[in-house]
């Protein structure tokens, strides 16, 4: 179980500097990861998309730009983070906890969650709730950090994660403690086959992973049974 109270407080504290910190810490590669996700969604031609844990709305905006005919809704339990999305001119927002979504069953064609599932109180329960609100045959996309498996790159990334990222993020946001927690959560979060199995055990089928930037991030795609 993740500490939902700490996560809520942490994101409230870093909201105003969150986007800047992301771009600096990833050298802007996070924008490419979101575009990769949006470009895959285009191929599905969805009518209704839910971007869960939308935060500052970066992925929701990328999807809306790529899919102008779709209705894209962003949901998050952090109101300060959604205010940042509004400041970035994304307004299709709803305050909602990923553990208890305020939507009927079988509503959305596509559901995305970028860098958010990792911080939810229960990964299985959150995935089951995502499955509930997706229509039969709908598609889930989970974008999140992972630990590279390539020797050398793995060790270098772990050093950066533990000793460099937290310090830089602390300087940018003034909230180093929040990033110590968030960076630590990356190591605890399942990836690869382990994540595919977790997704398939909680309402989905045929989950597959795509490694991004040597495995620093991964994009998981899965279908809800028809």
């Amino acid at each position: 179980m993740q500490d939902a109270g700490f996560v809520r407080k942490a994101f409230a504290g870093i909201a105003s500097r969150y986007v800047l910190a992301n771009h600096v810490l990833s050298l802007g590669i996070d924008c490419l990861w979101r575009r990769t996700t949006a470009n895959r969604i285009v191929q599905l031609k969805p009518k209704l998309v839910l971007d869960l844990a939308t935060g500052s709305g970066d992925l929701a905006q990328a999807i809306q730009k790529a899919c102008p005919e779709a209705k894209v809704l962003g949901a998050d339990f952090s109101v300060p983070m959604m205010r940042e999305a509004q400041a970035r001119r994304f307004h299709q927002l709803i305050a909602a906890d990923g553990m208890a979504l305020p939507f009927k069953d079988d509503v959305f064609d596509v559901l995305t969650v970028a860098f958010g599932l990792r911080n939810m109180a229960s990964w299985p329960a959150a995935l089951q709730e995502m499955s509930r609100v997706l229509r039969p045959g709908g598609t889930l996309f989970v974008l999140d950090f992972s630990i590279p498996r390539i020797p050398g790159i793995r060790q270098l990334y772990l050093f950066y994660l533990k000793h460099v990222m937290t310090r830089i993020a602390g300087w940018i946001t003034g909230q180093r403690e929040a990033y110590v927690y968030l960076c630590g959560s990356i190591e605890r979060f399942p990836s690869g086959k382990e994540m595919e199995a977790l997704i398939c055990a909680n309402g989905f089928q045929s989950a597959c992973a795509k490694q991004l930037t040597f495995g620093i991030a991964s994009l998981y795609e899965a279908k809800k049974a028809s």
Side-chain angles (χ1 to χ4, degrees):
M1 297 288 288
Q2 314 309 303
D3 187 342
F6 181 86
V7 171
R8 188 188 298 268
K9 181 179 178 181
F11 278 103
I14 65 177
S16 64
R17 308 286 284 177
Y18 178 77
V19 173
L20 174 61
N22 275 357
H23 294 343
V24 170
L25 293 170
S26 73
L27 302 178
I29 299 173
D30 62 308
C31 298
L32 176 61
W33 298 337
R34 292 184 178 91
R35 283 199 299 271
T36 298
T37 305
N39 289 339
R40 174 65 188 112
I41 293 170
V42 169
Q43 301 172 40
L44 302 176
K45 299 180 180 179
K47 294 181 180 179
L48 188 57
V49 178
L50 175 64
D51 181 41
L52 186 57
T54 195
S56 52
D58 296 82
L59 180 56
Q61 286 182 302
I63 297 168
Q64 189 67 84
K65 183 177 180 180
C67 305
E69 301 301 318
K71 180 178 180 181
V72 181
L73 178 65
D76 204 296
F77 78 164
S78 174
V79 173
M81 287 295 293
M82 287 193 293
R83 290 198 183 107
E84 294 302 311
Q86 290 177 322
R88 298 166 65 82
R89 299 183 180 180
F90 185 78
H91 300 285
Q92 295 165 192
L93 299 161
I94 183 169
D97 190 329
M99 304 299 297
L101 294 170
F103 306 113
K104 295 180 180 179
D105 296 355
D106 307 330
V107 173
F108 297 96
D109 301 306
V110 168
L111 189 151
T112 61
V113 55
F115 312 106
L117 174 59
R118 172 167 42 90
N119 298 310
M120 293 184 185
S122 167
W123 303 326
L127 286 166
Q128 291 165 24
E129 186 68 350
M130 293 175 203
S131 176
R132 180 185 69 79
V133 301
L134 270 171
R135 65 167 176 79
T139 307
L140 169 71
F141 291 91
V142 178
L143 173 63
D144 216 308
F145 291 110
S146 50
I147 304 298
R149 299 184 179 183
I150 302 172
I153 293 178
R154 178 184 178 87
Q155 286 77 11
L156 183 63
Y157 179 68
L158 285 171
F159 179 85
Y160 175 72
L161 190 68
K162 295 177 180 180
H163 303 290
V164 180
M165 184 181 288
T166 53
R167 292 183 181 181
I168 295 175
W171 293 334
I172 294 172
T173 66
Q175 300 287 333
R176 184 178 179 184
E177 181 184 3
Y179 279 90
V180 169
Y181 174 87
L182 293 173
C183 290
S185 71
I186 294 172
E187 286 193 85
R188 297 189 295 270
F189 196 55
S191 62
K193 296 296 182 183
E194 189 179 356
M195 175 56 76
E196 291 176 9
L198 177 64
I199 292 171
C200 288
N202 290 284
F204 296 92
Q205 61 183 11
S206 65
C208 60
K210 177 182 177 64
Q211 289 191 345
L212 305 173
T213 316
F214 306 109
I216 291 173
S218 294
L219 177 63
Y220 304 91
E221 179 177 348
K223 292 284 187 181
K224 178 178 175 178
S226 300

